[in-house]
């Protein structure tokens, strides 16, 4: 991964690699979502407006969101790799990613939904209606109940290298919470298990933030 995501790499090359990984993450998850939704595949194969709307949703909503969040994680990964020569990669990289990916994921959905209402007439052409559905939509995305679930889990591809590198670095130096937790995990799978647990935490953080938005909307009317 260090070969493809380095802090001194030209922006266009870094962005190109992020785009490739994002597309590779999106495609199988999109297929899984289509196949698990009854009648959806047949609906799309018939072509027409349904297929056009689906493709537009993926291109204008899914790909930009997945690219942006993955870019954030890959950038932190590259930054952490450079800092690794001065000791263990600080745990703050994990905290930054956990918080910013939730903010970025929600904010981009809100922006794109509002623009879609204005440009394409989605949500009845009302940006306010579009903004109101962001919270409920993202709450359900954690359960893979809508297409935003595809985008959510596609962004975890960028999180894995970052989380794994931080965990392995802290274990190697015997410092930080990762080293302490790794001692409690039997076998050699400790770093991978901890990285996967952190990915699950990132999903919980985002879902909690979305649920809080729904709660605030109900209070404020």
């Amino acid at each position: 991964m260090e070969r493809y995501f380095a802090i001194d790499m030209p922006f266009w090359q870094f962005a190109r690699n992020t785009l490739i990984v994002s597309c590779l993450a999106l495609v199988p998850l999109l297929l899984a979502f289509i196949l698990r939704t009854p009648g959806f595949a047949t609906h799309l194969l018939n072509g027409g407006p349904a297929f056009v709307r689906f493709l537009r949703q993926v291109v204008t909503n899914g790909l930009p969101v997945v690219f942006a969040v993955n870019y954030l994680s890959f950038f932190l990964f590259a930054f952490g790799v450079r800092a690794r020569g001065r000791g263990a990669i600080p745990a703050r990289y994990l905290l930054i990613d956990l918080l910013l990916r939730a903010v970025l994921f929600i904010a981009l959905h809100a922006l794109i939904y509002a623009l879609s209402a204005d440009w394409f007439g989605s949500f009845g052409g009302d940006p306010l209606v579009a903004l109101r559905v962001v919270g409920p939509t993202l709450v359900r995305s954690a359960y893979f109940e809508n297409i935003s679930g595809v985008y959510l889990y596609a962004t975890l591809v960028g999180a894995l290298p970052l989380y794994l590198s931080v965990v392995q670095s802290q274990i190697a130096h015997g410092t930080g919470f990762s080293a302490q937790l790794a001692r409690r995990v039997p076998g050699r799978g400790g770093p991978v298990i901890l990285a996967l647990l952190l990915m699950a935490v990132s999903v919980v953080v985002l879902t909690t933030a979305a649920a809080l938005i729904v709660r605030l909307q109900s209070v404020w009317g």
Side-chain angles (χ1 to χ4, degrees), residues 6-44:
I7 202 67
D8 56 351
M9 183 178 289
F11 169 78
W12 69 267
Q13 192 173 356
F14 198 105
R16 180 202 63 190
N17 293 344
T18 302
L19 181 61
I20 291 173
V21 173
S22 298
C23 290
L24 291 176
L26 267 174
V27 170
L29 287 171
L30 281 171
L31 290 175
F33 176 75
I34 292 171
L35 293 176
R36 76 183 295 272
T37 305
F40 195 26
T42 303
H43 194 52
L44 292 178

Side-chain angles (χ1 to χ4, degrees), residues 91-168:
R92 66 173 175 270
Y93 285 84
L94 300 176
L95 183 61
I96 292 171
D97 183 82
L98 286 171
L99 295 178
L100 287 187
R101 72 170 33 244
V103 171
L104 195 58
F105 193 84
I106 294 172
L108 285 176
H109 267 83
L111 175 62
I112 292 171
Y113 277 23
L115 291 176
S116 295
D118 187 39
W119 294 348
F120 307 122
S122 305
F123 309 101
D126 189 343
L128 290 178
V129 173
L131 292 175
R132 290 192 191 102
V133 304
V134 171
T137 298
L138 298 188
V139 168
R140 295 196 303 273
S141 67
Y143 304 100
F144 210 68
E145 293 181 356
N146 52 45
I147 198 169
S148 289
V150 173
Y151 309 151
L152 171 60
Y153 290 105
T155 63
L156 296 182
V157 172
L160 182 58
L162 170 64
Y163 295 176
L164 192 57
S165 66
V166 174
V167 169
Q168 289 177 328

Side-chain angles (χ1 to χ4, degrees), residues 76-77 80-81 84 88-95 159-173 175 177-179 191 195 198:
L76 290 171
F77 165 77
V81 167
R84 191 168 54 191
I89 301 176
R92 66 173 175 270
Y93 285 84
L94 300 176
L95 183 61
L160 182 58
L162 170 64
Y163 295 176
L164 192 57
S165 66
V166 174
V167 169
Q168 289 177 328
S169 176
Q170 293 201 352
I171 291 175
H173 287 82
T175 60
F177 78 96
S178 298
L198 286 168

